[in-house]
Amino acid sequence: MRYKYGLFILLLAAFIVRLIYGLSQEPTSVFENQGNDSWLYLQMGHNLVSGFDYSEISLPTAPLYLIFNGVWQQLLPGASAIIAIRITQALLSTAICFFAYRLSYLISGSLAAGFVTLTALAVSPIFILEAALIVTETLYIFLLTAGLWLYTELQVRPQKAHWTWFALDGALFGLATLTRAVMLVFPLGLMIHLWLVNNWRVALRRSAALLLVYVCVVSTWTVHNLVHWNRFVIAAEGFAAFLYIGATDWEGPEQVDRNLVEDAGIEGELPSDVGIQQEIYRQATTNVISSDPLGYVFHRVGDLLGAYAQPHGTLLFGGAGIKELVGGWLQADRTVSGLINLTTAPGFWPKLALYGFHYAGLLLGLIGMWLLRRRWRLILPLIGFIVYTTLLHLVLDAIPRYIFPTMVIWWVFAGVTLSSLWTTYQQRKLLQLSA
């Protein structure tokens, strides 16, 4: 009962802090800053739910988050819809904390590890900030962690692993893919894992249930596009564009279009036909890579390392970045007073907190993976998601926001590390007292 009360209190606290922050933000501000991601998601969501004809206009993202915010915009006017979205996302973010708690407990067998992970995510600045943003991450991470939790639960409790649960898991991963199309190939890795840890009859039944339902869920968007707009789409249309941006740089939509025309070697303006545009993106990407293959490799590696080095969320605060401030201090000042002055820069402390949680998660997460190495069959899908996301963005464009969904898994392992360190400390303390 004590653990249940503790779990309830921590989850309630996580929800309250997200709710307070979300409701403290001006709801109409997302409508004023036209052209940013949040405004575009709201516009596309409103259009999609309203029945807008996208037959000749690209819809470069998966549809589920657009439907989510579009439905709220249909039900409530203006600012009220934003408030409703933020309240819903506060609930989803709290559920993410619970799923992470269960994952950490399941892979380690330690309730303490689960509670450490839950506490860390409950107070993590970026997870609090993210729940108030009108972007895909909160819904995507909710569906992703729900799917990984159920999958891991079925590995730990094989007596409850009926094929219908794997079918439900396939639905969760399918919905996650319809939120962020980058998930498209990940379930194939789970298929391999099922065959690795089960006999062939069990693996066949479970993998078939998961994959069949997954394909059915993802194909709903394909069928919708074919029926309504006579266009073949699997999850989303932006893959070729992300390949091109990954091979070059993001310089704003207008400049990217100009670069695209030049790199593809076409004359005139970019055609409006969506299918032709995708072919131009592919041709331009091929031209860029073939012109300097080694430069492309260095560019992608540097891009990915930069995405991991920069915590997601620091750009939400004004002023110079911490790396820029520290770099300037090392080059021009190097005095104690100059170092103290850095702390007065706009947004310094929130950014520092983001850096602290980010690097603590990465470092402690790596240690946790090592501590659980003997349970590799159980933890392989979790590590696999991190590896999958990393390798995918080694090819596609990589920014901190795209790497951010892996931070939940990093903290699942980090909770194991911290609880293990605490247990070791307590044991040594008892030995000293008994000596």
Side-chain angles (χ1 to χ4, degrees):
M1 290 300 295
R2 183 179 62 182
Y3 282 112
K4 289 182 179 179
Y5 283 130
L7 177 62
F8 174 77
I9 290 171
L10 282 172
L11 289 173
L12 181 62
F15 174 67
I16 290 174
V17 71
R18 284 156 174 74
L19 190 64
I20 291 174
Y21 175 76
L23 296 182
S24 69
Q25 304 303 300
E26 174 55 52
T28 59
S29 61
V30 293
F31 297 110
E32 297 168 358
N33 193 3
Q34 297 188 7
N36 68 2
D37 287 345
S38 296
W39 183 84
L40 288 172
Y41 281 129
L42 289 170
Q43 288 296 109
M44 290 188 293
H46 178 272
N47 292 343
L48 185 61
V49 174
S50 300
F52 184 82
D53 183 6
Y54 274 101
S55 58
E56 298 181 1
I57 302 175
S58 176
L59 193 63
T61 186
L64 190 58
Y65 188 74
L66 306 183
I67 296 171
F68 166 74
N69 75 60
V71 168
W72 277 120
Q73 291 180 82
Q74 288 290 314
L75 294 174
L76 297 170
S80 298
I82 304 302
I83 293 172
I85 291 170
R86 285 173 172 163
I87 292 173
T88 306
Q89 290 186 172
L91 287 168
L92 296 179
S93 183
T94 304
I96 291 168
C97 296
F98 172 76
F99 293 137
Y101 153 80
R102 287 296 301 174
L103 280 168
S104 195
Y105 165 63
L106 289 170
I107 64 176
S108 66
S110 168
L111 277 172
F115 273 95
V116 170
T117 298
L118 171 56
T119 304
L121 292 185
V123 301
S124 172
I126 185 52
F127 282 93
I128 296 170
L129 294 169
E130 191 65 37
L133 298 179
I134 311 299
V135 287
T136 59
E137 271 63 36
T138 297
L139 179 59
Y140 170 63
I141 296 172
F142 164 76
L143 293 166
L144 165 71
T145 52
L148 289 173
W149 158 72
L150 180 57
Y151 187 87
T152 307
E153 193 88 47
L154 295 173
Q155 304 308 309
V156 174
R157 292 173 172 79
Q159 70 278 9
K160 296 184 179 181
H162 192 265
W163 67 267
T164 53
W165 288 111
F166 286 94
L168 175 59
D169 215 22
L172 288 170
F173 287 122
L175 292 172
T177 302
L178 290 180
T179 307
R180 289 279 295 276
V182 292
M183 270 288 288
L184 187 61
V185 187
F186 178 70
L188 295 180
L190 296 180
M191 301 300 100
I192 297 173
H193 180 258
L194 284 171
W195 283 85
L196 187 65
V197 300
N198 297 286
N199 65 64
W200 73 268
R201 289 186 179 87
V202 174
L204 179 62
R205 185 167 57 250
R206 294 175 178 178
S207 60
L210 194 155
L211 188 60
L212 179 62
V213 174
Y214 174 77
V215 170
C216 288
V217 171
V218 174
S219 66
T220 56
W221 184 235
T222 304
V223 172
H224 180 88
N225 275 270
L226 285 171
V227 171
H228 290 276
W229 304 319
N230 193 30
R231 198 160 65 199
F232 183 75
V233 175
I234 300 177
E237 294 178 302
F239 182 75
F242 274 107
L243 274 176
Y244 174 72
I245 295 170
T248 55
D249 284 304
W250 174 254
E251 301 176 80
E254 293 82 7
Q255 186 60 44
V256 167
D257 286 348
R258 286 193 288 269
N259 293 343
L260 178 63
V261 170
E262 180 181 343
D263 291 331
I266 63 175
E267 297 181 359
E269 296 183 352
L270 189 67
S272 60
D273 184 271
V274 176
I276 297 176
Q277 284 184 7
Q278 298 305 304
E279 182 58 37
I280 291 173
Y281 273 118
R282 286 189 284 269
Q283 183 59 50
T285 304
T286 302
N287 293 343
V288 169
I289 296 174
S290 60
S291 66
D292 185 9
L294 190 60
Y296 168 76
V297 171
F298 279 110
H299 176 70
R300 293 307 318 131
V301 171
D303 210 21
L304 182 64
L305 291 176
Y308 264 105
Q310 176 79 28
H312 173 50
T314 54
L315 296 180
L316 297 173
F317 300 93
I322 285 184
K323 289 188 293 185
E324 183 181 346
L325 290 170
V326 173
W329 175 78
L330 287 173
Q331 292 178 3
D333 196 327
R334 298 187 184 183
T335 64
V336 175
S337 61
L339 186 61
I340 293 174
N341 288 336
L342 295 184
T343 63
T344 63
F348 176 84
W349 292 108
K351 291 175 186 176
L352 185 63
L354 290 171
Y355 268 91
F357 272 86
H358 179 76
Y359 281 104
L362 294 178
L363 176 60
L364 296 172
L366 281 174
I367 297 172
M369 293 174 193
W370 175 254
L371 293 175
L372 295 175
R373 64 192 180 278
R374 297 185 186 278
R375 300 187 179 186
W376 64 269
R377 289 178 178 84
L378 183 60
I379 66 175
L380 190 59
L382 301 181
I383 297 176
F385 174 72
I386 294 176
V387 173
Y388 169 80
T389 303
T390 302
L391 292 178
L392 190 67
H393 289 289
L394 184 60
V395 179
L396 302 179
D397 187 29
I399 59 175
R401 178 186 160 197
Y402 298 157
I403 302 300
F404 170 63
T406 66
M407 291 311 300
V408 175
I409 310 303
W410 287 107
W411 269 105
V412 165
F413 288 103
V416 175
T417 302
L418 289 173
S419 66
S420 179
L421 289 173
W422 177 252
T423 300
T424 302
Y425 169 75
Q426 291 289 83
Q427 290 174 345
R428 289 182 177 178
K429 191 174 179 180
L430 287 174
L431 286 173
Q432 290 175 354
L433 289 175
S434 59

